[in-house]
Amino acid sequence: MTGTTLKEISKALGISISTVSRALKNHPDISSRTKTKVAELANLLDYEPNANAIGLRTNTNKVFGLLIPSISNSFYDSFVAAVEEESRKVGYSIMILQSGDNAEIEVENLKLCRQNRVSGVFVCIASQTQHYEPFNKIKEQKIPLIFFDKVPDSYEGNKVCLADKTSAVLSANTIIQSGKKSVLAFFGNEKLSITAKRVEAFKDCFKNKKIKLETQFCNSMNEVYPQTLSALNKNQKPDAIFCMSDEILCGVMKAVLQLKLTVGKDVSVIAISDGFFPKIYAPEITYVETSGYKLGKAAFTRMMECINDNSEIKEIIIDSVLIQGASI
Amino acid sequence: MTGTTLKEISKALGISISTVSRALKNHPDISSRTKTKVAELANLLDYEPNANAIGLRTNTNKVFGLLIPSISNSFYDSFVAAVEEESRKVGYSIMILQSGDNAEIEVENLKLCRQNRVSGVFVCIASQTQHYEPFNKIKEQKIPLIFFDKVPDSYEGNKVCLADKTSAVLSANTIIQSGKKSVLAFFGNEKLSITAKRVEAFKDCFKNKKIKLETQFCNSMNEVYPQTLSALNKNQKPDAIFCMSDEILCGVMKAVLQLKLTVGKDVSVIAISDGFFPKIYAPEITYVETSGYKLGKAAFTRMMECINDNSEIKEIIIDSVLIQGASI
DNA sequence: AAAAAAATCTCAAACGTTTGCGAAAATGTT
DNA sequence: AACATTTTCGCAAACGTTTGAGATTTTTTT
């Protein structure tokens, strides 16, 4: 009914189940003659190993858990794409679990990973995650755990993240070198430590400079848009705007378009982005690249290291680079 | 070492494994006294059922397979988000498999779904998928199969897709009613049947009208951009541009921005989109909504119907609706 | 107080694989 | 031809759970 099993093949060939099993995995104990016999019949009968049985027997799954706040986000989905791509190459699949940035759902999802005996889990923690026992449980089961992007400060573990400060500093210095005098800087969710770090580093760059700097925290395009609009309508409007994320960039640009300003001439804009959005505008926006794709590749590499030799804990930081557009 | 098992609980409590198993699932045969005893200890010991063992015993997994060309696409990732969200509510997880629009990887992925005994699979076929035996195999195993978005014409099955024609017709009629005289229409991958249908329906609307219509096929923003640029630089430039997708819209708008034209005044624009991109421009773009999110919800609903009562095959079509912006 | 019914629990097989160890068959060595 | 090796294979247990059917205990009925 459902699928061919080793037992069926063994019966049909008059050999034992173990021989069939070994034949299929090219075990040296088995003669090449029976190997081909087995292979042929298995092929004919469309034999496919039962992943559950294997998982039960070996107590692992060829599956990675991937915990993420939301997949509808160009940064995360390029991360996911990268991890999936690499995983497939080595025979792993990925199980995606969204938390909706909700800490409770996050622990549910961690539980799911344990129940499924996944081979490893990648996690980008929710903003309000406070308790780390669920993560400890994962570790107790010897399941490799890789934090990425939003990583916990106060918890030890493998971490792969972007150079938070570098990207902010790079942006700030670009603005300073261009000789701008009044800067409006938009940052994301104030509660996130990544935001805090960036703000601090960014502000530091402007110390002792004769440049006016105003910083604001925003969570969505719909907040940024009106704020930019009113800022640009003031008498002393900013001559440079910094955008910490794509969403913010979109909000800023919407205001810029609304006022029919030309970026790079009437006002300068610089963003932190993974690169898609800056290129949909003309002139293109100058940005500091933070690639979800690269981050994904790095996280995957780290995961494989953990699986192969359960080595010590590492924190990896992906550097960012400035991509010149014509907006500043 | 790894995790608590039923056996351990049963031994500790001096009762049989089956009693423990039944107690945990609230079976009527078990007294409430032992139920609470079991529940307490299970809780204390952090018992978590082994998904592999359950899967092996019951021959199913609480997992849906999700086959998709690429997840880095706002339409698909909102689809994925919707399916994941709903699945979680009923205790299912999703396994994401990208084909990269490659038919061979697609069959590999289908195989993975079978090996994992998933409870159901959602699939958006690759553009060149020709052979349907792998899908038959899925069906033979009584695994519910839901095609979505890019569905095969020549293959019977459950299908959930957007009203291809309606969205094109809606766009066309909006253009006609606005009194435009020269239309430039960009469509996506020429080989896809969905494209063919839309083109045909779109063209039909313009029959017997005194409107100039030029259609072009494009696959990326980088193609659309220069083409739009040159079209808008001609003497008789189009007064309305139709964009079949978000990517095309971005390409068109880049040219519009480049030329410092104002949408809705200098040139009209209308798109088919799931709604994010049209709203990042000012004025906002008028579009026909085709929501990946809604499609996901519908596909999920259909999946649950299939799981509950293995009813007959259905084809569901999600209607589209015009969202007014100021671009036409 | 005995018989019948109901409630509660246990046994044991099964799901499909993997794997250590021992058995049989083939080959090589004196 | 007898023995030692090597090659090839089979046995059986184990992974953790579910489930039908039977066993035991408790409660109800007569």
Side-chain angles (χ1 to χ4, degrees), chain B residues 12-31:
Chain B
L13 254 36
I15 59 184
S16 78
I17 295 179
S18 23
T19 303
V20 177
S21 171
R22 289 188 168 105
L24 286 172
K25 24 179 41 96
N26 207 22
H27 192 285
D29 264 15
I30 308 298
S31 71

Side-chain angles (χ1 to χ4, degrees), chain A residues 75-322:
Chain A
F75 181 78
Y76 290 134
D77 75 29
S78 61
F79 179 92
V80 173
V83 172
E84 201 276 343
E85 215 171 284
E86 293 301 314
S87 299
R88 194 171 32 69
K89 288 184 192 161
V90 292
Y92 283 77
S93 308
I94 64 172
M95 199 172 77
I96 298 208
L97 302 164
Q98 299 182 96
S99 70
D101 206 32
N102 175 329
E104 287 173 35
I105 296 181
E106 192 173 77
V107 333
E108 279 305 310
N109 288 343
L110 282 166
K111 189 185 279 190
L112 267 175
C113 285
R114 281 179 289 147
Q115 294 184 357
N116 279 84
R117 271 44 172 188
V118 298
S119 300
V121 7
F122 298 92
V123 28
C124 169
I125 59 173
S127 2
Q128 329 92 315
T129 297
Q130 304 278 1
H131 306 108
Y132 294 101
E133 303 90 46
F135 295 104
N136 283 329
K137 286 188 193 169
I138 294 280
K139 283 186 183 173
E140 282 166 17
Q141 294 196 11
K142 305 269 182 225
I143 298 177
L145 180 60
I146 314 272
F147 291 102
F148 68 93
D149 196 42
K150 290 177 194 154
V151 306
D153 298 315
S154 50
Y155 185 77
E156 278 218 336
N158 287 292
K159 301 175 187 176
V160 180
C161 50
L162 299 166
D164 319 317
K165 291 184 186 175
T166 318
S167 61
V169 170
L170 213 50
S171 308
N173 287 336
T174 307
I175 293 174
I176 292 168
Q177 282 162 27
S178 71
K180 299 298 165 187
K181 290 302 166 203
S182 173
V183 179
L184 172 58
F186 284 109
F187 293 88
N189 191 335
E190 196 168 1
K191 289 176 212 146
L192 257 42
S193 77
I194 186 175
T195 304
K197 283 181 199 163
R198 284 178 172 173
V199 174
E200 194 192 332
F202 192 86
K203 280 186 175 171
D204 268 1
C205 297
F206 285 90
K207 269 189 183 147
N208 305 323
K209 309 273 181 209
K210 289 207 166 180
I211 300 179
K212 189 185 162 206
L213 172 63
E214 184 188 346
T215 61
Q216 294 196 13
F217 297 95
C218 285
N219 288 312
S220 74
M221 190 179 98
N222 294 328
E223 285 179 39
V224 178
Y225 169 50
Q227 291 189 24
T228 309
L229 217 47
S230 71
L232 289 175
N233 273 328
K234 283 184 191 158
N235 283 342
Q236 315 141 308
K237 61 175 188 183
D239 54 4
I241 303 179
F242 165 78
C243 311
M244 200 192 91
S245 70
D246 281 318
E247 253 199 300
I248 291 173
L249 172 63
C250 289
V252 166
M253 287 306 294
K254 190 169 181 178
V256 169
L257 295 179
Q258 167 94 42
L259 298 173
K260 308 202 185 198
L261 302 179
T262 299
V263 132
K265 213 183 68 184
D266 304 320
V267 61
S268 291
V269 173
I270 186 168
I272 296 182
S273 165
D274 69 350
F276 181 79
F277 283 91
K279 295 218 167 75
I280 67 172
Y281 298 101
E284 292 184 355
I285 309 299
T286 297
Y287 66 98
V288 174
E289 188 191 50
T290 63
S291 157
Y293 199 79
K294 277 187 199 165
L295 196 70
K297 298 278 184 181
F300 175 83
T301 303
R302 184 75 197 107
M303 175 65 84
M304 291 321 273
E305 284 172 16
C306 288
I307 287 183
N308 292 329
D309 58 337
N310 215 336
S311 63
E312 76 294 14
I313 285 167
K314 262 191 207 167
E315 303 200 3
I316 294 173
I317 293 181
I318 307 287
D319 236 337
S320 19
V321 40
L322 185 77

Side-chain angles (χ1 to χ4, degrees), chain B residues 31-196:
Chain B
S31 71
S32 54
R33 199 155 49 93
T34 56
K35 270 180 192 168
T36 55
K37 268 200 313 182
V38 169
E40 277 172 9
L41 188 59
N43 196 42
L44 186 69
L45 296 183
D46 257 334
Y47 170 72
E48 296 191 356
N50 182 316
N52 283 321
I54 296 176
L56 174 59
R57 178 58 227 240
T58 63
N59 201 36
T60 93
N61 244 336
K62 284 276 197 179
V63 171
F64 291 130
L66 191 28
L67 276 68
I68 214 167
S70 163
I71 202 183
S72 305
N73 172 311
S74 69
F75 180 78
Y76 291 135
D77 76 27
S78 60
F79 180 92
V80 172
V83 172
E84 200 276 344
E85 213 171 286
E86 293 300 314
S87 297
R88 194 171 31 69
K89 290 184 192 160
V90 293
Y92 282 77
S93 308
I94 63 173
M95 200 172 79
I96 300 209
L97 302 164
Q98 299 181 97
S99 69
D101 206 34
N102 176 328
E104 286 174 36
I105 296 182
E106 192 173 78
V107 335
E108 277 307 309
N109 288 343
L110 282 165
K111 188 185 278 190
L112 267 176
C113 286
R114 280 178 292 148
Q115 293 185 357
N116 279 85
R117 277 29 177 196
V118 298
S119 299
V121 10
F122 298 91
V123 30
C124 171
I125 59 172
S127 3
Q128 328 91 314
T129 297
Q130 302 278 0
H131 305 110
Y132 294 102
E133 305 89 45
F135 295 103
N136 283 330
K137 286 188 192 167
I138 293 280
K139 284 184 180 172
E140 280 165 18
Q141 293 197 11
K142 305 273 181 222
I143 297 177
L145 180 60
I146 314 271
F147 291 102
F148 70 91
D149 196 42
K150 289 177 195 153
V151 305
D153 297 314
S154 50
Y155 185 75
E156 278 219 336
N158 287 293
K159 300 175 188 177
V160 180
C161 51
L162 299 165
D164 321 315
K165 291 185 186 174
T166 318
S167 59
V169 170
L170 213 50
S171 308
N173 286 337
T174 306
I175 294 173
I176 293 169
Q177 280 161 28
S178 71
K180 300 296 164 191
K181 291 303 166 202
S182 174
V183 179
L184 172 57
F186 284 108
F187 293 88
N189 189 334
E190 196 168 2
K191 290 176 212 144
L192 257 42
S193 77
I194 187 174
T195 304

Side-chain angles (χ1 to χ4, degrees), chain B residues 286-307:
Chain B
T286 298
Y287 67 99
V288 174
E289 187 191 52
T290 62
S291 157
Y293 199 79
K294 277 187 198 165
L295 195 70
K297 298 278 183 179
F300 175 82
T301 303
R302 183 74 198 108
M303 175 64 84
M304 291 321 272
E305 285 172 15
C306 288
I307 287 182

